Amino acid sequence: MRSRAILLSILMLASVMSPVLANDTVTTTDVEISGNHTMTGNYTVSHGSTLTLKPGTSVDMGEFWMKVEGNLVANDAIIMSSVQSTSPGGHNAGVWDDITITTIGTATLTNVTISNAKSCLIVDGSLTATGLILEDCLIGMEVAGTADVTDLVARDIDHDGVRLTGIATLSNPEFIDMSQGVSSSGDLTMTSATLSSTGLYFSGGTVDATDVALSNAQTGVTILSGASGSIDGLTGTAANAITSMDSTGFTIKNVNMQGERLVNSWSAGDLTVEDVDFTSTSGETVVDVRTSGTFTLSNAIIDGSFNSQQGSFSSPWIAMSLSGSGDYVLSNIDVEATNTAITSSGTGTLDLSNSMISSEGTGITLSGLSSSMMSDVTVNISNGGATGLDILQGQHTLDNLTIEMPYNPNDADSTGLESWWANIAVGHLDVSGFETGVELH
């Protein structure tokens, strides 16, 4: 009697498990799917076979995954899941696993929409796609292999639109509402990218990007140690346009941005920013950089306005704050500030040339620098301002330096150049309009 009961239990268990096992599919020949298709188990496209999704096909993945060891070809198709997430307030992301293109697999996708997965696509092999839409997934696309995608749209992604550790070429991508549009430690080539409420994050590898347009990003571009390359063309709005942490050589040029800060970094490394027009919209310091490497800013215009409880101001409060033991190279810059245009401290060096520095209060303060060189520079202080150039310690060379302020007969406190315990070599110096022209201590 007991043996019959055990046998009955085994048969019942087998009857429960068998549909799942039976409905998992491993292809042995080429397969075509059309119309509305619902997966009833996991699906493997085996090596040597091709799964083709015909135009107009809609595949409901349920809670299952697809693994491509052969070839996946899809044209004008939708891959999604009708399973509803139990997460309150969610957007039905992550209810099925993913489509994985294995290291021996390939996928060619044209006008395909993938949604509701944990990862819409995992590319360990090779992907070629045009008009690919990834939406309502936890991660849009993970690329450890190679991907060449034109007209990618990723939207409403919980984490990264593209998480890259391999090689990717993205042409005309659009990223909308996610943590990072692209998070890369691989090799990225990208042209004409549009990012809304998201940014770019480079933690390694190489970057060759052109024409990046940002909208309402918290941080536009983040650069970490190990990432090298360039962005040519960065436009739009971001609270922090650029953040760098121990960059090992990165260049961003042709920047036309609005926001709180152009560069915000406490350990920038080696970073070059050139051909800049930045409009500040807050009282934050526009360029706030500390580095032990070399920070270069050239051909830059920095201005703006902001409102605070103290009133309305027609330029940033502090335009540039530079510190650390690194080297700062500033050339052809036009900077405006309300309180201080440039303040530099630490034990590094400053090379400032061919520039216009304007401030309502103080032009330039140098504190503790080992050395500085200023040539072909004009420091313009508004009527009622305080100091043109204030130097504390170090070795300094000044040539073709003009420090000027409108003359005010009632002025009793302003000073053009004030120096404390510093060695200064002067070529041509022109100071005018201040109560005290030069004061040395």
Side-chain angles (χ1 to χ4, degrees):
M1 183 72 177
R2 180 176 178 179
S3 62
R4 290 181 61 191
I6 292 173
L7 178 60
L8 180 61
S9 297
I10 293 173
L11 291 173
M12 291 176 64
L13 180 60
S15 68
V16 171
M17 295 179 62
S18 59
V20 176
L21 295 175
N23 289 328
D24 279 358
T25 300
V26 179
T27 64
T28 57
T29 61
D30 293 347
V31 176
E32 291 186 354
I33 293 178
S34 61
N36 296 327
H37 184 88
T38 300
M39 293 292 185
T40 56
N42 299 315
Y43 198 98
T44 300
V45 182
S46 62
H47 182 61
S49 66
T50 298
L51 171 63
T52 300
L53 305 183
K54 304 291 284 184
T57 297
S58 177
V59 177
D60 187 338
M61 291 299 300
E63 298 177 322
F64 305 109
W65 48 255
M66 180 184 293
K67 181 167 62 175
V68 180
E69 297 174 345
N71 308 304
L72 172 63
V73 177
N75 191 348
D76 293 316
I78 296 173
I79 304 171
M80 43 70 73
S81 176
S82 61
V83 174
Q84 295 300 303
S85 171
T86 57
S87 300
H91 54 109
N92 220 44
V95 297
W96 61 285
D97 282 342
D98 53 68
I99 298 174
T100 297
I101 314 302
T102 69
T103 55
I104 58 174
T106 67
T108 303
L109 309 178
T110 304
N111 299 329
V112 172
T113 299
I114 305 173
S115 61
N116 312 121
K118 293 175 182 175
S119 286
C120 288
L121 273 173
I122 297 177
V123 183
D124 295 328
S126 176
L127 168 69
T128 301
T130 300
L132 177 63
I133 299 175
L134 309 175
E135 58 187 3
D136 296 315
C137 291
L138 300 183
I139 299 173
M141 180 165 57
E142 301 177 63
V143 181
T146 61
D148 188 339
V149 185
T150 300
D151 297 332
L152 167 69
V153 176
R155 58 190 175 215
D156 299 322
I157 304 294
D158 283 17
H159 300 294
D160 303 327
V162 174
R163 183 174 293 178
L164 176 64
T165 57
I167 302 171
T169 299
L170 306 177
S171 303
N172 307 314
E174 184 176 5
F175 302 95
I176 305 166
D177 194 15
M178 61 198 68
S179 295
Q180 299 293 343
V182 178
S183 177
S184 176
S185 60
D187 297 321
L188 173 68
T189 301
M190 184 169 66
T191 58
S192 302
T194 302
L195 299 98
S196 178
S197 301
T198 187
L200 302 172
Y201 187 92
F202 303 124
S203 58
T206 63
V207 179
D208 182 2
T210 58
D211 299 328
V212 175
L214 301 167
S215 176
N216 299 320
Q218 181 60 37
T219 300
V221 180
T222 300
I223 306 160
L224 302 187
S225 176
S228 62
S230 65
I231 297 174
D232 186 350
L234 183 67
T235 62
T237 58
N240 297 289
I242 303 165
T243 296
S244 176
M245 183 70 70
D246 297 323
S247 169
T248 50
F250 206 99
T251 298
I252 300 177
K253 59 185 178 180
N254 292 316
V255 179
N256 192 333
M257 294 283 299
Q258 291 185 354
E260 296 179 7
R261 300 179 189 262
L262 171 61
V263 184
N264 183 21
S265 175
W266 286 100
S267 182
D270 296 326
L271 178 66
T272 297
V273 184
E274 56 189 35
D275 301 320
V276 177
D277 190 341
F278 187 86
T279 301
S280 171
T281 58
S282 80
E284 299 288 348
T285 301
V286 179
V287 176
D288 195 350
V289 176
R290 182 182 183 91
T291 189
S292 58
T294 300
F295 174 77
T296 301
L297 177 66
S298 63
N299 302 321
I301 298 173
I302 296 174
D303 56 18
S305 61
F306 69 97
N307 298 318
S308 71
Q309 293 180 347
Q310 288 72 37
S312 297
F313 301 92
S314 59
S315 57
W317 188 251
I318 298 176
M320 303 179 65
S321 176
L322 313 173
S323 61
S325 59
D327 302 315
Y328 291 92
V329 180
L330 313 177
S331 62
N332 294 295
I333 66 172
D334 188 339
V335 173
E336 296 181 4
T338 296
N339 182 272
T340 304
I342 300 175
T343 176
S344 184
S345 62
T347 58
T349 68
L350 172 66
D351 186 337
L352 175 63
S353 62
N354 300 301
S355 297
M356 170 65 77
I357 310 300
S358 303
S359 176
E360 295 179 22
T362 298
I364 302 172
T365 65
L366 308 178
S367 177
L369 296 187
S370 62
S371 67
S372 75
M373 178 177 291
M374 299 186 197
S375 60
D376 300 306
V377 173
T378 297
V379 179
N380 184 279
I381 305 301
S382 300
N383 191 9
T387 305
L389 173 60
D390 192 345
I391 299 175
L392 173 63
Q393 301 177 327
Q395 306 287 328
H396 306 275
T397 301
L398 310 178
D399 191 22
N400 291 328
L401 173 63
T402 299
I403 305 173
E404 59 187 12
M405 184 174 75
Y407 175 70
N408 183 351
N410 298 318
D411 177 16
D413 298 316
S414 66
T415 303
L417 167 60
E418 187 167 11
S419 174
W420 302 76
W421 306 301
N423 294 319
I424 303 176
V426 178
H428 178 78
L429 173 65
D430 186 356
V431 180
S432 63
F434 295 88
E435 167 64 18
T436 302
V438 177
E439 187 170 0
L440 306 177
H441 304 272

